[in-house]
Amino acid sequence: MDFKKLSEQYKSELLENVLPFWLENSLDREYGGYYSCLDRKGQVFDTDKFVWLQAREVYMFASMYNKTEKKQEWLEAAEHGAAFLMEHGHDGHYNWYFAIDRVGNPLVEPYNIFSYTFATIAFGQLHLATGNPRYAEVAKETFRLIRSKLDNPKGKWNKAVPGSRSLKNFALPMILCNLALEIEHLLSAELLDGFIDNCLHEVMAVFYRPELGGIIVENVTLEGQLSDTFDGRLINPGHAIEAMWFIMDLGKRLKRDDLIQKAVEITLNMVEYGWDHQHGGIFYFMDRSGNPPQQLEWDQKLWWVHIETLISLIKGYQLTGSPECLAWFERVHDYTWAHFKDTEYPEWFGYLNRQGEVLLPLKGGKWKGCFHVPRGLYQCWKVLEDIACKDLFVQVV
């Protein structure tokens, strides 16, 4: 495998295709913030704005400014979105709405904790880029609210009957593993270390189930037990695999090879578990008992699942030299670039049917925005670049 060539492929796709698409098409120059509902050619088809996607785009442009190149247009794009969020995205106390209209009127109450998590990393990255203490204040206060909501993320908007079948979900501790490192510069060492320990415990000791063959389940009881229900049997391969590159990053920070090795093992378990051996690609949802899943879209192939899988696999190879990771990376790379990349217009498709045909030609919507594709391209570019440099060094020596 030509790692240098692959690195350039991911880099050029990011810098020459994907980021320019969002920069040129998503900024609302009249009312602020970003359009996320963009059709195949980048035309706006709906003007509602979803706070978690607004924050994700702020994060991406600020992150690219911090990590890639100090391009003023990226910083300006990030601050453009941040200004809209600070004025319209919350209730005045950093309770972040889920959806607002084009001009900033709230549409959906702050029921979704992920509006909070992505606002935190967005303003954390902007603080790194600018040193503006206002951004740090927003990130830290939002993080405080997240911590206060850990036991009941949806608060008064929780639809479950109190005292009935209570389950906790994998998505939040999984996201928090990444969030902890994103805002490390804003936290005390004591707070950060305790937070990381808790996240690692949840992901690796509660949702990871060795008795099920070493896979991760999406929901468990509040006591950490399996539940033989629709939600309790749910498997989301993409979530589990994405979490594993967060765990690898934490393993590097903590100098824990055991954590990295376990994350690689789980990555390989989940890719094999979720792979559609008939049509290729990774299933969206599965039932651990082989029953029909409740999600009607269970067999769709989604962009973010495959991109996050590429990150985990190539990081697994980088950190451990696992030949299985490299073989799976090549397989998923071939599928992803053949099916999700639009060869006629910029950015990538998001939704395929089981056979790998495009279901929705949109490039952005209520759930897909400026995040997984550019973040994944960046991560793969940098890891492949590192592998290529090490290979060259070995050859020279």
Side-chain angles (χ1 to χ4, degrees):
M1 184 176 289
D2 188 337
F3 294 110
K4 188 176 187 303
K5 183 178 179 181
L6 271 176
S7 172
E8 288 299 322
Q9 180 178 342
Y10 282 86
K11 177 183 179 180
S12 64
E13 184 71 9
L14 172 66
L15 300 181
E16 299 171 18
N17 179 352
V18 172
L19 286 179
F21 172 88
W22 292 101
L23 197 62
E24 293 166 12
N25 298 305
S26 73
L27 275 66
D28 183 345
R29 303 289 187 183
E30 185 175 357
Y31 290 105
Y34 313 110
Y35 302 114
S36 65
C37 297
L38 303 174
D39 68 14
R40 185 182 183 189
K41 298 180 181 180
Q43 298 297 306
V44 178
F45 67 86
D46 196 279
T47 60
D48 284 350
K49 293 167 181 174
F50 307 98
V51 168
W52 71 317
L53 294 184
Q54 298 287 307
R56 281 176 159 190
E57 190 157 348
V58 172
Y59 167 81
M60 278 313 311
F61 280 117
S63 178
M64 289 299 95
Y65 177 85
N66 289 332
K67 298 174 182 177
T68 303
E69 184 181 347
K70 303 295 187 197
K71 294 183 72 168
Q72 192 62 27
E73 61 180 350
W74 290 347
L75 182 59
E76 289 173 359
E79 294 204 278
H80 171 87
F84 185 78
L85 281 175
M86 290 173 72
E87 184 173 357
H88 302 292
H90 58 89
D91 65 354
H93 303 284
Y94 302 121
N95 292 298
W96 299 88
Y97 298 115
F98 178 74
I100 50 187
D101 68 14
R102 183 186 176 191
V103 301
N105 299 308
L107 297 173
V108 180
E109 296 278 12
Y111 81 94
N112 192 307
I113 194 69
F114 301 108
S115 295
Y116 293 69
T117 60
F118 291 110
T120 301
I121 67 170
F123 285 98
Q125 278 294 318
L126 257 185
H127 175 255
L128 273 179
T130 65
N132 186 333
R134 184 80 173 88
Y135 296 144
E137 175 192 337
V138 175
K140 288 192 288 187
E141 176 58 18
T142 304
F143 182 59
R144 186 192 68 78
L145 289 172
I146 291 170
R147 293 183 0 254
S148 74
K149 294 172 176 288
L150 292 178
D151 291 336
N152 184 15
K154 291 189 178 181
K156 64 183 180 181
W157 295 284
N158 192 332
K159 293 184 291 185
V161 174
S164 65
R165 181 191 297 149
S166 297
L167 299 175
K168 59 180 178 179
N169 182 264
F170 176 69
L172 184 54
M174 164 260 214
I175 287 292
L176 295 180
C177 286
N178 178 247
L179 183 148
L181 291 183
E182 289 286 353
I183 62 165
E184 180 174 1
H185 62 289
L186 297 176
L187 305 179
S188 69
E190 181 181 5
L191 175 58
L192 179 68
D193 291 345
F195 190 71
I196 288 175
D197 286 345
N198 184 65
C199 290
L200 286 174
H201 171 75
E202 288 289 299
V203 171
M204 305 300 279
V206 176
F207 290 94
Y208 168 63
R209 311 303 298 204
E211 74 272 30
L212 296 178
I215 62 171
I216 285 178
V217 298
E218 193 71 5
N219 297 288
V220 295
T221 68
L222 299 183
E223 297 74 31
Q225 301 302 308
L226 295 172
S227 172
D228 188 13
T229 58
F230 270 125
D231 289 330
R233 293 189 301 267
L234 182 65
I235 304 294
N236 185 330
H239 261 172
I241 296 167
E242 179 182 2
M244 288 307 102
W245 73 260
F246 301 161
I247 299 297
M248 291 179 211
D249 282 355
L250 286 171
K252 283 175 60 179
R253 182 192 179 278
L254 299 171
K255 297 181 172 58
R256 285 187 54 186
D257 289 340
D258 63 312
L259 204 54
I260 293 170
Q261 291 288 348
K262 178 57 70 172
V264 169
E265 176 189 321
I266 296 171
T267 296
L268 292 170
N269 288 346
M270 293 305 305
V271 175
E272 178 64 40
Y273 188 92
W275 187 258
D276 182 349
H277 290 277
Q278 182 176 354
H279 296 288
I282 300 167
F283 287 120
Y284 190 14
F285 293 114
M286 303 175 77
D287 182 290
R288 62 180 169 83
S289 298
N291 298 316
Q294 64 176 324
Q295 290 82 4
L296 301 181
E297 69 275 25
W298 69 274
D299 65 345
Q300 290 180 18
K301 310 296 167 59
L302 268 66
W303 84 108
W304 70 265
V305 172
H306 293 76
I307 292 167
E308 299 299 332
T309 297
L310 287 171
I311 302 172
S312 289
L313 289 169
I314 200 60
K315 285 199 176 201
Y317 174 72
Q318 175 197 35
L319 294 170
T320 69
S322 164
E324 293 84 4
C325 277
L326 188 59
W328 268 111
F329 174 80
E330 188 168 9
R331 190 175 189 179
V332 178
H333 166 91
D334 289 345
Y335 181 90
T336 301
W337 284 80
H339 292 86
F340 290 102
K341 177 175 167 54
D342 186 345
T343 57
E344 294 183 49
Y345 299 100
E347 244 285 349
W348 290 20
F349 298 120
Y351 303 90
L352 313 176
N353 63 18
R354 183 175 180 183
Q355 292 72 30
E357 301 161 333
V358 176
L359 271 176
L360 298 171
L362 59 78
K363 298 300 176 59
K366 185 176 181 178
W367 309 108
K368 182 179 186 292
C370 179
F371 187 66
H372 284 288
V373 175
R375 186 179 71 165
L377 291 171
Y378 171 80
Q379 288 285 338
C380 290
W381 158 31
K382 288 300 179 179
V383 174
L384 287 162
E385 185 177 69
D386 178 70
I387 296 170
C389 287
K390 288 178 179 175
D391 277 0
L392 180 62
F393 177 77
V394 170
Q395 292 170 18
V396 170
V397 172

